């Protein structure tokens, strides 16, 4: 039942995102970056695992550049054929290349050396894409499972980075359907500020 509920919720959230203009995303990206860099777990991080936003996702470009400007080592994901994630280093917008995969979104991925799936274990904070987070800190992703694997890898290694999701305002909801493998996040950043959840 949770899977069907997740699919229905994803459809609704993606439909709303599809109505956002490039200007909407650009304006909210600046606000998100301002709040995110002030989050102590991000402000004090030496290494942050991030991602490059696409389409109507909350924009990450301003935040990635702000982190880079502070001397933070920024890791970005590289999608593997099995939907797991490898990682590369972000060195600015010119270090990204579009990667086209049939039947999927075109993703911007870092050029250069691949660091391996375990590179994320070095992150002090991990920025997770998502469609919604609820009052318990449970995240609804797109359903591909890539970040479920990342979270499982962190847990198996005993790594405890801050898990932060960037969302639009209306995507912080009362409850999302969850399954046993789902893991709560520690904070959500929206254009208006930060929502925190208790760390276990």
């Amino acid at each position: 039942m949770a899977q069907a509920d997740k699919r229905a919720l994803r459809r609704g959230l993606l439909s709303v995102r599809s109505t956002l203009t490039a200007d909407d995303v650009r304006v909210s990206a600046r606000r998100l970056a301002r709040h995110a860099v002030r989050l102590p777990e991000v402000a004090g991080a030496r290494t942050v695992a991030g991602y490059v936003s696409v389409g109507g996702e909350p924009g990450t470009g301003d935040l990635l550049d702000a982190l880079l400007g502070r001397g933070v080592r920024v890791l970005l994901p590289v999608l593997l054929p099995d939907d797991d994630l490898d990682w590369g280093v972000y060195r600015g917008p010119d270090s990204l290349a579009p990667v086209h995969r049939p039947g999927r979104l075109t993703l911007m991925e870092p050029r250069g050396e691949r660091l391996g799936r375990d590179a994320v274990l070095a992150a002090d904070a991990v920025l997770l894409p998502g469609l919604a987070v609820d009052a318990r800190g449970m995240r609804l992703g797109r359903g591909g499972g890539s970040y479920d694997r990342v979270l499982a890898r962190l847990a198996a290694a005993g790594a405890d980075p801050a898990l932060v999701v960037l969302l639009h305002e209306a995507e912080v909801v009362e409850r999302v359907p969850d399954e046993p493998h789902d893991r709560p996040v520690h904070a959500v950043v929206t254009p208006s500020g930060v929502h925190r959840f208790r760390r276990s």
Side-chain angles (χ1 to χ4, degrees):
M1 188 63 174
Q3 281 288 344
D5 292 341
K6 283 183 175 183
R7 282 194 296 271
L9 185 54
R10 281 189 191 105
R11 278 194 301 273
L13 292 164
L14 287 168
S15 174
V16 172
R17 280 190 179 180
S18 71
T19 67
L20 297 173
T21 67
D23 280 342
D24 293 333
V25 173
R26 202 166 22 254
V27 169
S28 70
R30 286 194 293 270
R31 293 179 182 152
L32 281 166
R34 279 199 302 270
H35 293 301
V37 295
R38 292 183 190 136
L39 192 63
E41 297 93 327
V42 174
R46 291 165 301 184
T47 300
V48 172
Y51 64 96
V52 180
S53 55
V54 295
E57 285 186 326
T60 59
D62 288 3
L63 176 53
L64 298 178
D65 290 339
L67 292 170
L68 195 63
R70 291 177 173 213
V72 176
R73 183 173 185 247
V74 179
L75 304 179
L76 293 180
V78 176
L79 186 64
L80 298 171
D82 65 355
D83 287 338
D84 207 343
L85 298 178
D86 199 336
W87 300 88
V89 176
Y90 178 63
R91 294 187 171 85
D94 292 342
S95 71
L96 300 175
V99 178
H100 309 281
R101 291 183 178 85
R104 293 181 171 232
L105 294 170
T106 295
L107 300 176
M108 299 298 289
E109 295 183 351
R111 304 176 197 266
E113 180 187 3
R114 299 296 180 243
L115 304 176
R117 299 171 202 231
D118 287 342
V120 70
L121 300 179
D124 302 300
V126 178
L127 306 178
L128 302 164
L131 291 172
V133 170
D134 71 16
R136 303 166 300 155
M138 301 306 293
R139 178 186 73 97
L140 178 70
R142 282 184 173 261
S146 298
Y147 280 89
D148 290 331
R149 295 184 196 193
V150 169
L151 295 175
R153 184 168 291 119
L154 291 168
D160 189 31
L163 303 176
V164 180
V165 182
L166 307 178
L167 293 177
H168 300 295
E169 298 296 344
E171 295 169 348
V172 180
V173 300
E174 185 175 334
R175 192 169 183 91
V176 299
D178 63 284
E179 299 174 84
H181 68 268
D182 291 326
R183 300 170 191 275
V185 301
H186 304 125
V188 168
V189 181
T190 69
S192 69
V194 174
H195 305 259
R196 284 185 172 280
F197 308 99
R198 186 183 318 180
R199 294 188 73 156
S200 56

